[in-house]
Amino acid sequence: MGIVVLGSYLSPYSLRVLIELEELVVDYELKPVNIKQGEHRTPEFLKMQPFGQVPVLQDDDLTLFESRAITRYLAEKFDGQGTPLLGKSMKEKALVNQWVEVESQNYDRPLIAIVEQVVWKPSWGKTTNEEIVAAEMAKLEKVLDVYEAQLTKHKYLAGDFFSLADLGHLPGTHLLVNIGKKGAVFADRPHLNAWWEDISSRPSFKKTMAKTP
Amino acid sequence: MAIVLYGVSTYNCQRVTSALLEFGIEDFELIKVDLKEREHFSPEYLAMQPFHQVPVFESGDYRLYESRAIVRYFAEKYKDAGPSILGSTLEEKALVNQWVDTEAHQFNDFAFAPWSMEYLMSWRLKRPLDEALVAPLYEKLGYFLDVAEKQLSKTKYLAGNFFSLADLNIAPSLLRVSVLQPELINDRKNVRAWFESITSRPAFKKMLEADKGWRFPYGPFTNEEAQKLRTS
């Protein structure tokens, strides 16, 4: 049957999986889930994903949710084809995992809070709460300072190799910088900015984003 | 190489300590980082963990932070010490990771962390609980535990019939749930049995002993009651 992703081009978490599939050179089918119409809350969907979220992966008998669990599974399954994403030695792999956690725990939270205010709310006809934006930007900038320091030492987050850790940042950062127009905080940090320019010029990212409406 | 763990008492530090003990590693140094004194903001600490968070794992020159990355590293490194808590097949590993991430997001980020933080703050600052904050988080905890209840009617542990990283990661947090609002666990038959099982593992008990300074700080518990928790 092959890889099926149930998701939405509107969801950075879905996009994370799709970008990775391009990196791994794996064919897939995207089955769109209509978030606006609440398709992710129907009883049928909740049977697959009890928390009502996208993406969901189907690979033959396996149904899997949580985007970072999905990307980890795909990287392990297709290890040896496309771009190596996990690191080579046990220590390298652990550093990749560390930065995946940093993205999940420290980077994504303020980023999504800002994206909600400056991208999603306007698209729903609601007003941006500038106080929240300011507060969350302050938090994000502190995180970006750490990233700038790290990327001064290495070309990518876990070392001098592109990994799952860097890939995970692509869709959210695109929303923040390109759609939300909050790129100044990247431009102010030369190594961070160079890293962003580098990873966002990867064919896997461009190809996936070309498919989004 | 001598193993050093920086950070004690918090649920994410206890996660790391219990993981090391699961693999039969008892020879390590546990160093307290005084969060109240803001030791985690000192230049020395920031050089190790630039996000000013605990815990940190150190062995010689090699350092790692983020508790879930640390325990994953232990699970890989000490894979041969016993049955794999990562899962054995590709599919098993995927399901373990799915539940590890579900604990991290649906349980911890959306519910447990802000909920338990409010209890801590109300106790520390000697003010009433903000019910408007706590009530929806309590609901979310309940929803997660309903999902767990259903899963645990099919499998003995979260990701299958084997103890995995997902169960290990959640255990210290569940201990706090069981003390703060025990009915969340006790009213769910499968969750209760699973909770008893994962918190009575020898490694978990050893962890509570090793973390000698630990006491349950969320009150209103007397030191006697907290002591009972530690040694039961």
Side-chain angles (χ1 to χ4, degrees), chain B residues 20 32 44 52 57 60 69 75 101 108 118 127 133 152 154 160 167 199 220:
Chain B
L20 211 47
K32 178 178 178 174
E44 300 75 37
H52 44 83
F57 159 83
D101 278 21
N108 190 68
E118 174 54 22
R127 61 156 172 80
L133 181 68
L152 294 164
K154 297 184 238 173
D167 311 290
T199 54

Short mmCIF file of all heavy atoms in Angstrom, two decimals, chain B residues 20 32 44 52 57 60 69 75 101 108 118 127 133 152 154 160 167 199 220:
data_model
loop_
_atom_site.label_atom_id
_atom_site.label_comp_id
_atom_site.label_asym_id
_atom_site.label_seq_id
_atom_site.Cartn_x
_atom_site.Cartn_y
_atom_site.Cartn_z
N LEU B 20 18.65 5.50 34.79
CA LEU B 20 19.98 4.95 35.04
C LEU B 20 19.89 3.72 35.93
O LEU B 20 20.52 2.69 35.69
CB LEU B 20 20.82 6.04 35.71
CG LEU B 20 22.32 6.09 35.46
CD1 LEU B 20 22.66 5.96 33.99
CD2 LEU B 20 22.90 7.38 36.02
N LYS B 32 22.93 18.30 43.43
CA LYS B 32 21.80 19.23 43.51
C LYS B 32 22.15 20.56 42.83
O LYS B 32 23.25 21.09 43.01
CB LYS B 32 21.43 19.48 44.97
CG LYS B 32 20.30 20.48 45.13
CD LYS B 32 19.90 20.69 46.58
CE LYS B 32 18.79 21.74 46.65
NZ LYS B 32 18.26 21.91 48.00
N GLU B 44 28.54 29.35 35.25
CA GLU B 44 29.08 27.99 35.20
C GLU B 44 28.03 27.01 34.72
O GLU B 44 28.30 26.13 33.91
CB GLU B 44 29.57 27.52 36.59
CG GLU B 44 30.67 28.34 37.23
CD GLU B 44 30.19 29.66 37.80
OE1 GLU B 44 29.06 29.70 38.34
OE2 GLU B 44 30.95 30.65 37.70
N HIS B 52 19.20 27.14 30.88
CA HIS B 52 19.06 27.21 32.34
C HIS B 52 18.02 26.23 32.88
O HIS B 52 17.12 26.61 33.64
CB HIS B 52 18.79 28.65 32.84
CG HIS B 52 17.77 29.42 32.05
ND1 HIS B 52 16.42 29.29 32.25
CD2 HIS B 52 17.91 30.32 31.05
CE1 HIS B 52 15.78 30.09 31.40
NE2 HIS B 52 16.65 30.72 30.68
N PHE B 57 23.34 15.53 32.05
CA PHE B 57 24.13 14.30 32.20
C PHE B 57 25.55 14.60 31.77
O PHE B 57 25.77 15.27 30.76
CB PHE B 57 23.53 13.20 31.33
CG PHE B 57 24.51 12.08 31.01
CD1 PHE B 57 24.72 11.05 31.92
CD2 PHE B 57 25.22 12.07 29.81
CE1 PHE B 57 25.62 10.02 31.64
CE2 PHE B 57 26.12 11.05 29.52
CZ PHE B 57 26.32 10.02 30.44
N GLY B 60 32.80 12.45 31.69
CA GLY B 60 34.02 13.00 31.10
C GLY B 60 33.71 14.29 30.38
O GLY B 60 33.10 15.20 30.94
N ALA B 69 15.96 13.17 26.00
CA ALA B 69 17.10 12.78 25.16
C ALA B 69 18.08 11.96 25.99
O ALA B 69 18.67 10.99 25.50
CB ALA B 69 17.79 14.02 24.60
N ALA B 75 18.99 4.26 27.16
CA ALA B 75 18.31 3.07 26.63
C ALA B 75 19.11 2.46 25.48
O ALA B 75 19.15 1.24 25.33
CB ALA B 75 16.90 3.43 26.18
N ASP B 101 6.04 10.65 22.99
CA ASP B 101 5.68 11.99 22.56
C ASP B 101 4.30 12.40 23.06
O ASP B 101 4.05 13.56 23.37
CB ASP B 101 5.75 12.10 21.04
CG ASP B 101 7.17 12.34 20.54
OD1 ASP B 101 8.11 12.05 21.29
OD2 ASP B 101 7.34 12.82 19.40
N ASN B 108 2.07 16.08 29.52
CA ASN B 108 2.93 17.02 30.22
C ASN B 108 2.68 18.48 29.82
O ASN B 108 2.34 19.32 30.66
CB ASN B 108 4.39 16.67 30.00
CG ASN B 108 5.31 17.47 30.91
OD1 ASN B 108 5.32 17.30 32.12
ND2 ASN B 108 6.07 18.39 30.33
N GLU B 118 0.96 25.20 39.18
CA GLU B 118 0.02 26.04 39.93
C GLU B 118 -0.07 25.59 41.39
O GLU B 118 -0.11 26.42 42.31
CB GLU B 118 -1.35 26.03 39.26
CG GLU B 118 -2.47 26.76 40.01
CD GLU B 118 -2.15 28.22 40.37
OE1 GLU B 118 -1.27 28.84 39.73
OE2 GLU B 118 -2.79 28.74 41.33
N ARG B 127 -0.78 31.25 48.72
CA ARG B 127 -2.02 31.84 48.22
C ARG B 127 -2.93 30.72 47.74
O ARG B 127 -2.48 29.61 47.50
CB ARG B 127 -1.70 32.81 47.07
CG ARG B 127 -1.04 32.16 45.86
CD ARG B 127 -1.28 32.97 44.60
NE ARG B 127 -0.51 32.48 43.46
CZ ARG B 127 -0.85 31.43 42.70
NH1 ARG B 127 -1.92 30.73 42.98
NH2 ARG B 127 -0.10 31.09 41.66
N LEU B 133 -7.72 28.43 36.54
CA LEU B 133 -6.59 27.91 35.78
C LEU B 133 -6.56 26.38 35.87
O LEU B 133 -6.35 25.68 34.88
CB LEU B 133 -5.29 28.48 36.36
CG LEU B 133 -3.98 28.07 35.69
CD1 LEU B 133 -3.89 28.65 34.29
CD2 LEU B 133 -2.79 28.52 36.51
N LEU B 152 -4.78 0.69 28.09
CA LEU B 152 -4.34 -0.29 29.08
C LEU B 152 -5.34 -1.43 29.27
O LEU B 152 -5.06 -2.39 29.99
CB LEU B 152 -4.03 0.39 30.42
CG LEU B 152 -2.84 1.36 30.38
CD1 LEU B 152 -2.84 2.28 31.59
CD2 LEU B 152 -1.51 0.61 30.29
N LYS B 154 -6.11 -2.96 26.61
CA LYS B 154 -5.63 -3.80 25.51
C LYS B 154 -4.21 -4.31 25.74
O LYS B 154 -3.84 -5.39 25.32
CB LYS B 154 -5.66 -3.01 24.19
CG LYS B 154 -7.05 -2.57 23.75
CD LYS B 154 -7.01 -1.88 22.41
CE LYS B 154 -7.58 -0.47 22.49
NZ LYS B 154 -7.41 0.28 21.26
N GLY B 160 2.61 -1.38 24.66
CA GLY B 160 2.54 -2.82 24.36
C GLY B 160 2.60 -3.60 25.65
O GLY B 160 2.39 -3.05 26.73
N ASP B 167 6.42 4.47 29.71
CA ASP B 167 6.01 4.26 31.10
C ASP B 167 7.03 4.85 32.06
O ASP B 167 6.68 5.47 33.07
CB ASP B 167 5.86 2.76 31.37
CG ASP B 167 5.05 2.05 30.32
OD1 ASP B 167 3.82 2.29 30.27
OD2 ASP B 167 5.63 1.28 29.53
N THR B 199 5.35 2.25 39.57
CA THR B 199 5.97 2.95 40.70
C THR B 199 6.44 2.00 41.80
O THR B 199 7.01 2.44 42.80
CB THR B 199 5.02 4.00 41.31
OG1 THR B 199 3.79 3.37 41.66
CG2 THR B 199 4.75 5.13 40.34
N PRO B 220 -0.72 20.54 51.02
CA PRO B 220 -0.42 20.75 52.44
C PRO B 220 -0.04 19.44 53.15
O PRO B 220 -0.83 18.85 53.82
CB PRO B 220 -1.75 21.28 52.97
CG PRO B 220 -2.79 20.64 52.08
CD PRO B 220 -2.12 20.34 50.78
#
